[in-house]
Amino acid sequence: MEKLFSYGTLRSKEIQRQVFNRILTGSADQLLDHKLKSLQIEEEFGMADYVVVVPSTDPSDIIHGVVFDVSSAELAKADIFESNAYKRVQVKLKSGTEAWIYIEN
């Protein structure tokens, strides 16, 4: 199993059903030394507002999210779901867990 840290859309049960055909199980965790930045992405019916993770020089910046267990095939589905405004990288979370996360491309 792979670890996927989500701070946004992939935490939604509706989105999880759409992308993975199931509800994911996970646990709360945090990403240190990063912050959220507003991002507009063009979608089928116009522009939509999202957030994206970017590095921060402020050690007090923390991103709260959930670490999910996903298969390699599900991780590939998440790659398709995320737009090219994001890229997937591995990070170490506050708990020490190594996880994939989508950050600014």
Side-chain angles (χ1 to χ4, degrees), residues 53-99:
V53 168
V54 294
S56 172
T57 56
D58 183 346
S60 68
D61 283 333
I62 297 172
I63 296 175
H64 299 272
V66 178
V67 180
F68 294 113
D69 290 316
V70 296
S71 68
S72 296
E74 288 172 327
L75 198 54
K77 289 178 181 180
D79 287 344
I80 293 167
F81 172 76
E82 295 294 351
S83 80
N84 61 3
Y86 297 88
K87 67 180 176 182
R88 179 167 49 94
V89 298
Q90 265 196 320
V91 294
K92 184 177 273 190
L93 301 173
K94 184 177 180 183
S95 66
T97 300
E98 296 261 342

Side-chain angles (χ1 to χ4, degrees), residues 24-78:
L24 303 179
T25 56
S27 58
D29 211 330
Q30 300 169 344
L31 178 61
L32 305 177
D33 302 322
H34 286 76
K35 63 184 178 180
L36 296 176
K37 173 182 156 184
S38 295
L39 177 71
Q40 282 203 322
I41 297 176
E42 187 173 351
E43 294 189 341
E44 184 178 353
F45 300 106
M47 298 300 285
D49 293 319
Y50 291 95
V51 293
V52 64
V53 168
V54 294
S56 172
T57 56
D58 183 346
S60 68
D61 283 333
I62 297 172
I63 296 175
H64 299 272
V66 178
V67 180
F68 294 113
D69 290 316
V70 296
S71 68
S72 296
E74 288 172 327
L75 198 54
K77 289 178 181 180

